Amino acid sequence: MAATYEALQEHGYADLTIKQIGESFPKSTSLIYHHYEGKDELLRDFLGYLLEHFETSVPKDEYPDARAHLEALLAHLLADELPPERESFTAAMVELRGQAASDPDYREHFDRSTAYFHDRLVQIITDGQAEGVFRDDVDPASVAALLLATIDGTRFQRVTTEDAVDVGQVRAELEAYVETRLVEETG
Amino acid sequence: MAATYEALQEHGYADLTIKQIGESFPKSTSLIYHHYEGKDELLRDFLGYLLEHFETSVPKDEYPDARAHLEALLAHLLADELPPERESFTAAMVELRGQAASDPDYREHFDRSTAYFHDRLVQIITDGQAEGVFRDDVDPASVAALLLATIDGTRFQRVTTEDAVDVGQVRAELEAYVETRLVEETG
């Protein structure tokens, strides 16, 4: 998986060959062929690996309340600058996700991953409503859908443009949305 | 360009060959080679064509005010169901945009296109502030950045998942955001 990651970074998806993956692989290339029929099958496995890695990398610590949890999540996912490793990780995932537009097997992977993150956001919002920090009269599923579309959009934009996107602006405005639409007024 | 579009829909980006494009092309395939050195060069031209088509397809009619203009734009871009032609057009664009993650030439195209749409949204919000329908105390650039991230995210999600995304929820919640954060209270 690490060899695939390296080769994908260096060569991009469209030009990637098993031979190139083999060059980053400490063992014999024939071992790759022993496990995988070809590039497509290997990349599908690799995608599962990427998505799992992404799901576990998102903060899950204990927070004082749901609002702090949501803020930590947005700060992590919409950081101004990504460390180089996360930057190229995001690029690899976006490039593979682009393939899903013409490949139903890939779409299945992203279906599962999108539903996972949507569920997690719904849970945070529902927790916040139970805690009294978020308003009761918003629909958790719709709020989660907007948040996830914005997060996915920013991840998509940041690795497919040079400098047309200011992630800090998106995050600041999304925080203002959370404040005006979601946070229960106190006092 | 139409032949490229057809071949891309049928075969996907990674497997696409000039020969396949030639099969949808009414003239000789050699004519394609006369104009383009290879698939990459042709697809870069094709991307320019797609982006131009997209830019001109977004409604630009006269509206009673900036709020109606923004609503029409969101209803168009975040329609519940896309007609088949727009669906496959979106899929083609997302697939090509995924390539931008590893190709700086592609990133340049999407930089230009992203800046174009951001400018258009900023203009609508600034107009609305001048007309008194939008609040003065929001930053047009940040609001535009959030709207565009959500629009790009939804376009990305809708063609790379099967049924994990409810576009109607995103649109309803984005309209609620516009209402609570942007629209000037009257009375």
Side-chain angles (χ1 to χ4, degrees):
Chain A
M1 293 294 102
T4 307
Y5 184 56
E6 267 179 49
L8 190 66
Q9 266 183 260
E10 198 175 332
H11 304 285
Y13 177 90
D15 299 326
L16 193 67
T17 63
I18 294 269
K19 189 164 167 284
Q20 288 162 346
I21 297 170
E23 280 162 18
S24 304
F25 191 54
K27 297 181 185 169
S28 158
T29 306
S30 65
L31 197 63
I32 303 177
Y33 283 111
H34 184 73
H35 284 283
Y36 295 102
E37 267 188 39
K39 168 183 145 180
D40 283 352
E41 205 196 336
L42 192 159
L43 282 175
R44 267 180 215 119
D45 241 29
F46 178 66
L47 179 62
Y49 161 84
L50 275 189
L51 288 173
E52 208 180 294
H53 180 79
F54 182 59
E55 287 169 10
T56 56
S57 77
V58 174
K60 260 189 168 168
D61 316 330
E62 291 294 315
Y63 296 99
D65 61 25
R67 189 181 171 185
H69 189 173
L70 183 58
E71 276 166 10
L73 206 79
L74 296 181
H76 173 79
L77 291 169
L78 303 176
D80 276 332
E81 297 269 337
L82 296 181
E85 208 226 350
R86 272 187 68 201
E87 177 87 28
S88 42
F89 176 84
T90 306
M93 204 144 88
V94 163
E95 190 161 358
L96 287 181
R97 186 160 179 170
Q99 305 298 318
S102 65
D103 187 327
D105 285 356
Y106 276 54
R107 279 202 289 280
E108 217 174 273
H109 268 292
F110 286 105
D111 238 35
R112 199 189 55 68
S113 153
T114 301
Y116 168 86
F117 279 109
H118 187 260
D119 287 353
R120 248 186 94 173
L121 288 165
V122 167
Q123 189 59 53
I124 296 173
I125 296 155
T126 316
D127 287 350
Q129 288 176 327
E131 290 164 2
V133 293
F134 291 153
R135 287 166 48 169
D136 267 332
D137 60 349
V138 297
D139 171 35
S142 298
V143 172
L146 174 63
L147 293 172
L148 192 54
T150 311
I151 291 163
D152 277 350
T154 307
R155 286 163 54 79
F156 186 38
Q157 290 177 334
R158 80 188 307 160
V159 296
T160 59
T161 55
E162 292 295 348
D163 54 13
V165 173
D166 184 333
V167 178
Q169 283 182 341
V170 176
R171 197 183 61 248
E173 191 56 30
L174 202 59
E175 280 165 5
Y177 157 76
V178 168
E179 191 68 37
T180 53
R181 171 90 176 137
L182 209 58
V183 172
E184 185 70 82
E185 285 175 50
T186 54
Chain B
M1 293 295 104
T4 307
Y5 184 57
E6 266 178 48
L8 190 66
Q9 266 184 261
E10 197 176 333
H11 304 286
Y13 176 89
D15 299 326
L16 193 67
T17 62
I18 294 269
K19 189 165 166 285
Q20 287 161 347
I21 296 170
E23 280 162 18
S24 303
F25 191 53
K27 297 180 187 169
S28 157
T29 305
S30 65
L31 197 64
I32 304 177
Y33 283 110
H34 183 74
H35 284 285
Y36 295 102
E37 268 188 38
K39 167 182 145 180
D40 283 352
E41 206 197 334
L42 193 160
L43 282 174
R44 265 178 217 120
D45 241 28
F46 178 66
L47 179 60
Y49 161 84
L50 275 188
L51 288 173
E52 210 181 294
H53 179 79
F54 181 58
E55 287 169 9
T56 55
S57 76
V58 174
K60 260 190 168 168
D61 316 329
E62 292 293 314
Y63 297 98
D65 61 24
R67 187 180 172 187
H69 189 171
L70 184 58
E71 277 166 10
L73 206 79
L74 296 180
H76 173 79
L77 291 168
L78 303 176
D80 276 332
E81 298 269 337
L82 296 182
E85 208 227 350
R86 274 188 65 201
E87 177 88 27
S88 42
F89 176 84
T90 306
M93 204 143 89
V94 163
E95 190 161 0
L96 287 181
R97 187 161 179 169
Q99 303 299 319
S102 64
D103 187 327
D105 286 355
Y106 277 53
R107 280 203 289 281
E108 218 174 89
H109 269 292
F110 286 105
D111 238 34
R112 199 190 55 69
S113 152
T114 301
Y116 168 85
F117 279 109
H118 187 261
D119 287 353
R120 248 186 95 172
L121 288 165
V122 167
Q123 189 59 53
I124 296 173
I125 296 155
T126 316
D127 287 350
Q129 288 176 327
E131 290 164 2
V133 294
F134 291 152
R135 289 167 45 170
D136 267 332
D137 61 348
V138 297
D139 171 33
S142 298
V143 173
L146 174 63
L147 292 172
L148 192 54
T150 311
I151 291 164
D152 276 350
T154 307
R155 285 164 54 78
F156 187 37
Q157 291 177 333
R158 80 187 308 160
V159 297
T160 59
T161 55
E162 291 294 348
D163 53 12
V165 173
D166 184 333
V167 178
Q169 283 181 341
V170 177
R171 197 182 61 247
E173 192 57 29
L174 203 59
E175 280 165 5
Y177 157 76
V178 168
E179 191 68 37
T180 52
R181 171 90 175 138
L182 210 56
V183 172
E184 184 70 80
E185 283 175 51
T186 53

